[in-house]
Amino acid sequence: MDIQLLGCVEARVRTGERVPLAHGTKLLLAALAWSPGTFVADEVLAERVWPERLPQHPRESLYIQATRLRKALGGVGQGDEAFELSRKRGGYVLVIDEQSVDTMRFRSLVREARRSARGGDTERALDLFTRALELWRGEPLSDVRTPWAETARVALRREHREALVGSAELGLRSGRVEECLRRLSRLADMHPFDEKVTGLLMLALHQVGRQADALDCFDLLRLRMADLLGCEPGPELRALRERILARDPELVPAAAHTATPI
């Protein structure tokens, strides 16, 4: 069983076949899969599934949705795909291997990537970061428009940004500049006021010989901050700009000297 939250909420068998789920059943699956193996109280589930208007009898309605979810998924999981939706006093537990949920796999891979990076195994760390980021299929929980889902999306976007930044930092240090440049350009569009992301993008552009573009990134951020926030970029980003202007050779690792300008 593969439960996907990093995109539309879906349940798939190992062969890749999608399991059809009604919308209400899908909401319950998302609410439980957010913390697999953890007890979730009826009140919490009801708030996640029906945020605007609770049914007249929330527990009975949850029971109906839980029965539908068991029916939808119960016949497709065998062996390591099996799952159990367990009723406990006052709530439910989705009993399933954590690695069956893409958000949990993403977090596990990112933790391993950071551990490898701290241990000096850059290649393994980059591979793990790549595997983690490939799990993203679009906006998390994109077909669940509830306050709880929006809170979850904010947390996941932050984790996604941190993983992208961690991968880019390692990639730039190891000379994978062009690969990082594509990711950083997209990330900068997503986070136009993020000085860390802007700094990495400036560094990547500088490393492929696009000094003017790197300086333009700084100028654009400075204009945005002045117009909308009434402040200037911080000292670290200003110092990076000065080093780029001075063409500091330490900004370009040895592995990047052979990169082809784009």
Side-chain angles (χ1 to χ4, degrees), residues 113-142:
R114 289 171 176 155
R115 219 175 343 254
S116 295
R118 288 195 297 270
D121 193 344
T122 300
E123 289 302 313
R124 182 169 186 271
L126 285 169
D127 177 64
L128 289 165
F129 271 127
T130 297
R131 287 166 55 192
L133 293 166
E134 285 175 347
L135 292 172
W136 285 67
R137 298 172 178 86
E139 182 77 356
L141 301 160
S142 59

PDB file of all heavy atoms in Angstrom, residues 113-142:
ATOM      1  N   ALA A 113      19.729  11.823   4.834  1.00  0.00           N
ATOM      2  CA  ALA A 113      20.583  12.696   4.016  1.00  0.00           C
ATOM      3  C   ALA A 113      21.406  13.617   4.904  1.00  0.00           C
ATOM      4  O   ALA A 113      22.615  13.799   4.685  1.00  0.00           O
ATOM      5  CB  ALA A 113      19.723  13.509   3.043  1.00  0.00           C
ATOM      6  N   ARG A 114      20.767  14.206   5.894  1.00  0.00           N
ATOM      7  CA  ARG A 114      21.499  15.107   6.793  1.00  0.00           C
ATOM      8  C   ARG A 114      22.538  14.352   7.610  1.00  0.00           C
ATOM      9  O   ARG A 114      23.638  14.868   7.854  1.00  0.00           O
ATOM     10  CB  ARG A 114      20.511  15.821   7.709  1.00  0.00           C
ATOM     11  CG  ARG A 114      19.670  16.868   6.973  1.00  0.00           C
ATOM     12  CD  ARG A 114      18.567  17.417   7.827  1.00  0.00           C
ATOM     13  NE  ARG A 114      17.838  18.477   7.126  1.00  0.00           N
ATOM     14  CZ  ARG A 114      16.593  18.816   7.386  1.00  0.00           C
ATOM     15  NH1 ARG A 114      15.915  18.212   8.353  1.00  0.00           N
ATOM     16  NH2 ARG A 114      16.001  19.782   6.698  1.00  0.00           N
ATOM     17  N   ARG A 115      22.196  13.118   8.004  1.00  0.00           N
ATOM     18  CA  ARG A 115      23.160  12.314   8.752  1.00  0.00           C
ATOM     19  C   ARG A 115      24.377  12.000   7.884  1.00  0.00           C
ATOM     20  O   ARG A 115      25.524  12.068   8.337  1.00  0.00           O
ATOM     21  CB  ARG A 115      22.487  11.028   9.228  1.00  0.00           C
ATOM     22  CG  ARG A 115      22.910  10.624  10.629  1.00  0.00           C
ATOM     23  CD  ARG A 115      22.216   9.431  11.214  1.00  0.00           C
ATOM     24  NE  ARG A 115      20.995   9.016  10.597  1.00  0.00           N
ATOM     25  CZ  ARG A 115      19.797   9.201  11.128  1.00  0.00           C
ATOM     26  NH1 ARG A 115      19.666   9.845  12.260  1.00  0.00           N
ATOM     27  NH2 ARG A 115      18.718   8.725  10.528  1.00  0.00           N
ATOM     28  N   SER A 116      24.128  11.643   6.620  1.00  0.00           N
ATOM     29  CA  SER A 116      25.232  11.350   5.702  1.00  0.00           C
ATOM     30  C   SER A 116      26.074  12.586   5.443  1.00  0.00           C
ATOM     31  O   SER A 116      27.308  12.509   5.354  1.00  0.00           O
ATOM     32  CB  SER A 116      24.687  10.798   4.382  1.00  0.00           C
ATOM     33  OG  SER A 116      24.056   9.549   4.569  1.00  0.00           O
ATOM     34  N   ALA A 117      25.422  13.745   5.307  1.00  0.00           N
ATOM     35  CA  ALA A 117      26.167  14.984   5.081  1.00  0.00           C
ATOM     36  C   ALA A 117      27.063  15.299   6.263  1.00  0.00           C
ATOM     37  O   ALA A 117      28.229  15.696   6.089  1.00  0.00           O
ATOM     38  CB  ALA A 117      25.193  16.136   4.829  1.00  0.00           C
ATOM     39  N   ARG A 118      26.540  15.127   7.476  1.00  0.00           N
ATOM     40  CA  ARG A 118      27.371  15.376   8.664  1.00  0.00           C
ATOM     41  C   ARG A 118      28.546  14.411   8.737  1.00  0.00           C
ATOM     42  O   ARG A 118      29.619  14.762   9.229  1.00  0.00           O
ATOM     43  CB  ARG A 118      26.520  15.259   9.929  1.00  0.00           C
ATOM     44  CG  ARG A 118      25.549  16.412  10.140  1.00  0.00           C
ATOM     45  CD  ARG A 118      25.006  16.423  11.560  1.00  0.00           C
ATOM     46  NE  ARG A 118      24.237  15.214  11.860  1.00  0.00           N
ATOM     47  CZ  ARG A 118      22.927  15.093  11.661  1.00  0.00           C
ATOM     48  NH1 ARG A 118      22.226  16.092  11.155  1.00  0.00           N
ATOM     49  NH2 ARG A 118      22.299  13.961  11.970  1.00  0.00           N
ATOM     50  N   GLY A 119      28.337  13.199   8.212  1.00  0.00           N
ATOM     51  CA  GLY A 119      29.408  12.211   8.222  1.00  0.00           C
ATOM     52  C   GLY A 119      30.373  12.350   7.068  1.00  0.00           C
ATOM     53  O   GLY A 119      31.319  11.560   6.954  1.00  0.00           O
ATOM     54  N   GLY A 120      30.158  13.323   6.192  1.00  0.00           N
ATOM     55  CA  GLY A 120      31.081  13.565   5.089  1.00  0.00           C
ATOM     56  C   GLY A 120      30.794  12.783   3.823  1.00  0.00           C
ATOM     57  O   GLY A 120      31.558  12.873   2.853  1.00  0.00           O
ATOM     58  N   ASP A 121      29.708  12.000   3.798  1.00  0.00           N
ATOM     59  CA  ASP A 121      29.368  11.221   2.599  1.00  0.00           C
ATOM     60  C   ASP A 121      28.438  12.059   1.719  1.00  0.00           C
ATOM     61  O   ASP A 121      27.219  11.867   1.701  1.00  0.00           O
ATOM     62  CB  ASP A 121      28.698   9.906   3.008  1.00  0.00           C
ATOM     63  CG  ASP A 121      28.604   8.923   1.841  1.00  0.00           C
ATOM     64  OD1 ASP A 121      28.765   9.365   0.687  1.00  0.00           O
ATOM     65  OD2 ASP A 121      28.353   7.726   2.090  1.00  0.00           O
ATOM     66  N   THR A 122      29.029  12.975   0.973  1.00  0.00           N
ATOM     67  CA  THR A 122      28.255  13.922   0.175  1.00  0.00           C
ATOM     68  C   THR A 122      27.448  13.243  -0.910  1.00  0.00           C
ATOM     69  O   THR A 122      26.279  13.592  -1.144  1.00  0.00           O
ATOM     70  CB  THR A 122      29.191  14.966  -0.453  1.00  0.00           C
ATOM     71  OG1 THR A 122      29.872  15.676   0.590  1.00  0.00           O
ATOM     72  CG2 THR A 122      28.413  15.963  -1.291  1.00  0.00           C
ATOM     73  N   GLU A 123      28.033  12.264  -1.590  1.00  0.00           N
ATOM     74  CA  GLU A 123      27.322  11.602  -2.691  1.00  0.00           C
ATOM     75  C   GLU A 123      26.073  10.896  -2.193  1.00  0.00           C
ATOM     76  O   GLU A 123      25.008  10.984  -2.806  1.00  0.00           O
ATOM     77  CB  GLU A 123      28.251  10.614  -3.394  1.00  0.00           C
ATOM     78  CG  GLU A 123      29.357  11.269  -4.207  1.00  0.00           C
ATOM     79  CD  GLU A 123      28.793  12.192  -5.278  1.00  0.00           C
ATOM     80  OE1 GLU A 123      27.859  11.777  -5.998  1.00  0.00           O
ATOM     81  OE2 GLU A 123      29.281  13.328  -5.395  1.00  0.00           O
ATOM     82  N   ARG A 124      26.189  10.187  -1.081  1.00  0.00           N
ATOM     83  CA  ARG A 124      25.019   9.490  -0.531  1.00  0.00           C
ATOM     84  C   ARG A 124      23.972  10.504  -0.066  1.00  0.00           C
ATOM     85  O   ARG A 124      22.768  10.309  -0.271  1.00  0.00           O
ATOM     86  CB  ARG A 124      25.420   8.576   0.625  1.00  0.00           C
ATOM     87  CG  ARG A 124      24.243   7.787   1.202  1.00  0.00           C
ATOM     88  CD  ARG A 124      24.699   6.706   2.166  1.00  0.00           C
ATOM     89  NE  ARG A 124      23.573   5.895   2.582  1.00  0.00           N
ATOM     90  CZ  ARG A 124      22.794   6.142   3.627  1.00  0.00           C
ATOM     91  NH1 ARG A 124      23.042   7.203   4.384  1.00  0.00           N
ATOM     92  NH2 ARG A 124      21.783   5.338   3.935  1.00  0.00           N
ATOM     93  N   ALA A 125      24.432  11.587   0.555  1.00  0.00           N
ATOM     94  CA  ALA A 125      23.502  12.613   1.023  1.00  0.00           C
ATOM     95  C   ALA A 125      22.726  13.216  -0.145  1.00  0.00           C
ATOM     96  O   ALA A 125      21.500  13.384  -0.072  1.00  0.00           O
ATOM     97  CB  ALA A 125      24.252  13.704   1.772  1.00  0.00           C
ATOM     98  N   LEU A 126      23.420  13.525  -1.237  1.00  0.00           N
ATOM     99  CA  LEU A 126      22.744  14.098  -2.400  1.00  0.00           C
ATOM    100  C   LEU A 126      21.750  13.119  -3.007  1.00  0.00           C
ATOM    101  O   LEU A 126      20.654  13.505  -3.422  1.00  0.00           O
ATOM    102  CB  LEU A 126      23.774  14.516  -3.449  1.00  0.00           C
ATOM    103  CG  LEU A 126      24.550  15.797  -3.142  1.00  0.00           C
ATOM    104  CD1 LEU A 126      25.722  15.956  -4.101  1.00  0.00           C
ATOM    105  CD2 LEU A 126      23.632  17.013  -3.213  1.00  0.00           C
ATOM    106  N   ASP A 127      22.118  11.849  -3.045  1.00  0.00           N
ATOM    107  CA  ASP A 127      21.206  10.840  -3.575  1.00  0.00           C
ATOM    108  C   ASP A 127      19.952  10.732  -2.713  1.00  0.00           C
ATOM    109  O   ASP A 127      18.829  10.648  -3.231  1.00  0.00           O
ATOM    110  CB  ASP A 127      21.915   9.488  -3.647  1.00  0.00           C
ATOM    111  CG  ASP A 127      20.988   8.378  -4.137  1.00  0.00           C
ATOM    112  OD1 ASP A 127      20.537   8.465  -5.288  1.00  0.00           O
ATOM    113  OD2 ASP A 127      20.705   7.447  -3.358  1.00  0.00           O
ATOM    114  N   LEU A 128      20.125  10.762  -1.402  1.00  0.00           N
ATOM    115  CA  LEU A 128      18.980  10.682  -0.491  1.00  0.00           C
ATOM    116  C   LEU A 128      18.088  11.914  -0.607  1.00  0.00           C
ATOM    117  O   LEU A 128      16.855  11.797  -0.602  1.00  0.00           O
ATOM    118  CB  LEU A 128      19.472  10.503   0.943  1.00  0.00           C
ATOM    119  CG  LEU A 128      20.089   9.133   1.267  1.00  0.00           C
ATOM    120  CD1 LEU A 128      20.869   9.201   2.581  1.00  0.00           C
ATOM    121  CD2 LEU A 128      18.994   8.071   1.359  1.00  0.00           C
ATOM    122  N   PHE A 129      18.694  13.093  -0.699  1.00  0.00           N
ATOM    123  CA  PHE A 129      17.903  14.310  -0.895  1.00  0.00           C
ATOM    124  C   PHE A 129      17.093  14.212  -2.199  1.00  0.00           C
ATOM    125  O   PHE A 129      15.910  14.578  -2.243  1.00  0.00           O
ATOM    126  CB  PHE A 129      18.805  15.540  -0.956  1.00  0.00           C
ATOM    127  CG  PHE A 129      19.083  16.174   0.377  1.00  0.00           C
ATOM    128  CD1 PHE A 129      20.390  16.426   0.788  1.00  0.00           C
ATOM    129  CD2 PHE A 129      18.055  16.559   1.221  1.00  0.00           C
ATOM    130  CE1 PHE A 129      20.658  17.031   2.013  1.00  0.00           C
ATOM    131  CE2 PHE A 129      18.308  17.175   2.439  1.00  0.00           C
ATOM    132  CZ  PHE A 129      19.613  17.399   2.839  1.00  0.00           C
ATOM    133  N   THR A 130      17.729  13.729  -3.263  1.00  0.00           N
ATOM    134  CA  THR A 130      17.046  13.605  -4.552  1.00  0.00           C
ATOM    135  C   THR A 130      15.859  12.652  -4.445  1.00  0.00           C
ATOM    136  O   THR A 130      14.759  12.949  -4.936  1.00  0.00           O
ATOM    137  CB  THR A 130      18.020  13.109  -5.635  1.00  0.00           C
ATOM    138  OG1 THR A 130      19.059  14.077  -5.811  1.00  0.00           O
ATOM    139  CG2 THR A 130      17.300  12.903  -6.959  1.00  0.00           C
ATOM    140  N   ARG A 131      16.066  11.514  -3.794  1.00  0.00           N
ATOM    141  CA  ARG A 131      14.979  10.546  -3.633  1.00  0.00           C
ATOM    142  C   ARG A 131      13.837  11.150  -2.823  1.00  0.00           C
ATOM    143  O   ARG A 131      12.656  10.910  -3.119  1.00  0.00           O
ATOM    144  CB  ARG A 131      15.512   9.278  -2.975  1.00  0.00           C
ATOM    145  CG  ARG A 131      16.367   8.418  -3.895  1.00  0.00           C
ATOM    146  CD  ARG A 131      17.149   7.380  -3.128  1.00  0.00           C
ATOM    147  NE  ARG A 131      16.290   6.537  -2.301  1.00  0.00           N
ATOM    148  CZ  ARG A 131      16.757   5.705  -1.368  1.00  0.00           C
ATOM    149  NH1 ARG A 131      18.066   5.623  -1.141  1.00  0.00           N
ATOM    150  NH2 ARG A 131      15.915   4.956  -0.666  1.00  0.00           N
ATOM    151  N   ALA A 132      14.177  11.927  -1.803  1.00  0.00           N
ATOM    152  CA  ALA A 132      13.134  12.565  -0.984  1.00  0.00           C
ATOM    153  C   ALA A 132      12.343  13.571  -1.797  1.00  0.00           C
ATOM    154  O   ALA A 132      11.104  13.591  -1.771  1.00  0.00           O
ATOM    155  CB  ALA A 132      13.775  13.237   0.230  1.00  0.00           C
ATOM    156  N   LEU A 133      13.035  14.411  -2.545  1.00  0.00           N
ATOM    157  CA  LEU A 133      12.361  15.468  -3.312  1.00  0.00           C
ATOM    158  C   LEU A 133      11.546  14.907  -4.470  1.00  0.00           C
ATOM    159  O   LEU A 133      10.556  15.519  -4.888  1.00  0.00           O
ATOM    160  CB  LEU A 133      13.401  16.469  -3.820  1.00  0.00           C
ATOM    161  CG  LEU A 133      14.082  17.286  -2.705  1.00  0.00           C
ATOM    162  CD1 LEU A 133      15.320  17.997  -3.237  1.00  0.00           C
ATOM    163  CD2 LEU A 133      13.101  18.287  -2.093  1.00  0.00           C
ATOM    164  N   GLU A 134      11.934  13.747  -4.993  1.00  0.00           N
ATOM    165  CA  GLU A 134      11.178  13.128  -6.082  1.00  0.00           C
ATOM    166  C   GLU A 134       9.816  12.617  -5.635  1.00  0.00           C
ATOM    167  O   GLU A 134       8.956  12.328  -6.471  1.00  0.00           O
ATOM    168  CB  GLU A 134      11.991  11.975  -6.694  1.00  0.00           C
ATOM    169  CG  GLU A 134      13.141  12.450  -7.580  1.00  0.00           C
ATOM    170  CD  GLU A 134      14.007  11.309  -8.067  1.00  0.00           C
ATOM    171  OE1 GLU A 134      13.864  10.174  -7.526  1.00  0.00           O
ATOM    172  OE2 GLU A 134      14.832  11.528  -8.968  1.00  0.00           O
ATOM    173  N   LEU A 135       9.604  12.506  -4.334  1.00  0.00           N
ATOM    174  CA  LEU A 135       8.306  12.059  -3.830  1.00  0.00           C
ATOM    175  C   LEU A 135       7.226  13.125  -3.998  1.00  0.00           C
ATOM    176  O   LEU A 135       6.037  12.809  -3.970  1.00  0.00           O
ATOM    177  CB  LEU A 135       8.411  11.685  -2.345  1.00  0.00           C
ATOM    178  CG  LEU A 135       9.241  10.447  -2.008  1.00  0.00           C
ATOM    179  CD1 LEU A 135       9.406  10.318  -0.491  1.00  0.00           C
ATOM    180  CD2 LEU A 135       8.578   9.192  -2.573  1.00  0.00           C
ATOM    181  N   TRP A 136       7.645  14.378  -4.177  1.00  0.00           N
ATOM    182  CA  TRP A 136       6.669  15.469  -4.301  1.00  0.00           C
ATOM    183  C   TRP A 136       6.031  15.450  -5.680  1.00  0.00           C
ATOM    184  O   TRP A 136       6.712  15.477  -6.695  1.00  0.00           O
ATOM    185  CB  TRP A 136       7.359  16.809  -4.033  1.00  0.00           C
ATOM    186  CG  TRP A 136       7.625  17.003  -2.572  1.00  0.00           C
ATOM    187  CD1 TRP A 136       8.492  16.288  -1.790  1.00  0.00           C
ATOM    188  CD2 TRP A 136       6.993  17.943  -1.701  1.00  0.00           C
ATOM    189  NE1 TRP A 136       8.442  16.736  -0.495  1.00  0.00           N
ATOM    190  CE2 TRP A 136       7.538  17.746  -0.405  1.00  0.00           C
ATOM    191  CE3 TRP A 136       6.031  18.933  -1.897  1.00  0.00           C
ATOM    192  CZ2 TRP A 136       7.135  18.506   0.686  1.00  0.00           C
ATOM    193  CZ3 TRP A 136       5.642  19.694  -0.806  1.00  0.00           C
ATOM    194  CH2 TRP A 136       6.187  19.476   0.457  1.00  0.00           C
ATOM    195  N   ARG A 137       4.692  15.429  -5.686  1.00  0.00           N
ATOM    196  CA  ARG A 137       3.941  15.375  -6.939  1.00  0.00           C
ATOM    197  C   ARG A 137       3.095  16.629  -7.139  1.00  0.00           C
ATOM    198  O   ARG A 137       2.143  16.619  -7.902  1.00  0.00           O
ATOM    199  CB  ARG A 137       3.057  14.131  -6.949  1.00  0.00           C
ATOM    200  CG  ARG A 137       3.851  12.824  -6.876  1.00  0.00           C
ATOM    201  CD  ARG A 137       2.932  11.627  -6.680  1.00  0.00           C
ATOM    202  NE  ARG A 137       3.684  10.388  -6.664  1.00  0.00           N
ATOM    203  CZ  ARG A 137       4.258   9.861  -5.594  1.00  0.00           C
ATOM    204  NH1 ARG A 137       4.173  10.494  -4.419  1.00  0.00           N
ATOM    205  NH2 ARG A 137       4.919   8.731  -5.650  1.00  0.00           N
ATOM    206  N   GLY A 138       3.412  17.673  -6.417  1.00  0.00           N
ATOM    207  CA  GLY A 138       2.649  18.912  -6.507  1.00  0.00           C
ATOM    208  C   GLY A 138       2.340  19.448  -5.128  1.00  0.00           C
ATOM    209  O   GLY A 138       3.001  19.113  -4.143  1.00  0.00           O
ATOM    210  N   GLU A 139       1.329  20.286  -5.044  1.00  0.00           N
ATOM    211  CA  GLU A 139       0.920  20.883  -3.781  1.00  0.00           C
ATOM    212  C   GLU A 139       0.435  19.794  -2.829  1.00  0.00           C
ATOM    213  O   GLU A 139      -0.432  18.993  -3.178  1.00  0.00           O
ATOM    214  CB  GLU A 139      -0.209  21.882  -4.032  1.00  0.00           C
ATOM    215  CG  GLU A 139      -0.693  22.616  -2.809  1.00  0.00           C
ATOM    216  CD  GLU A 139       0.249  23.744  -2.373  1.00  0.00           C
ATOM    217  OE1 GLU A 139       1.319  23.892  -2.987  1.00  0.00           O
ATOM    218  OE2 GLU A 139      -0.115  24.467  -1.443  1.00  0.00           O
ATOM    219  N   PRO A 140       0.979  19.710  -1.613  1.00  0.00           N
ATOM    220  CA  PRO A 140       0.534  18.671  -0.682  1.00  0.00           C
ATOM    221  C   PRO A 140      -0.955  18.793  -0.368  1.00  0.00           C
ATOM    222  O   PRO A 140      -1.492  19.895  -0.267  1.00  0.00           O
ATOM    223  CB  PRO A 140       1.376  18.936   0.571  1.00  0.00           C
ATOM    224  CG  PRO A 140       2.531  19.754   0.116  1.00  0.00           C
ATOM    225  CD  PRO A 140       2.048  20.548  -1.054  1.00  0.00           C
ATOM    226  N   LEU A 141      -1.613  17.641  -0.246  1.00  0.00           N
ATOM    227  CA  LEU A 141      -3.036  17.609   0.112  1.00  0.00           C
ATOM    228  C   LEU A 141      -3.843  18.553  -0.783  1.00  0.00           C
ATOM    229  O   LEU A 141      -4.733  19.270  -0.324  1.00  0.00           O
ATOM    230  CB  LEU A 141      -3.222  17.989   1.582  1.00  0.00           C
ATOM    231  CG  LEU A 141      -2.504  17.101   2.612  1.00  0.00           C
ATOM    232  CD1 LEU A 141      -2.358  17.834   3.941  1.00  0.00           C
ATOM    233  CD2 LEU A 141      -3.258  15.806   2.818  1.00  0.00           C
ATOM    234  N   SER A 142      -3.517  18.557  -2.062  1.00  0.00           N
ATOM    235  CA  SER A 142      -4.050  19.589  -2.948  1.00  0.00           C
ATOM    236  C   SER A 142      -5.562  19.522  -3.121  1.00  0.00           C
ATOM    237  O   SER A 142      -6.182  20.535  -3.476  1.00  0.00           O
ATOM    238  CB  SER A 142      -3.374  19.506  -4.319  1.00  0.00           C
ATOM    239  OG  SER A 142      -3.573  18.236  -4.907  1.00  0.00           O
TER     240      SER A 142
END
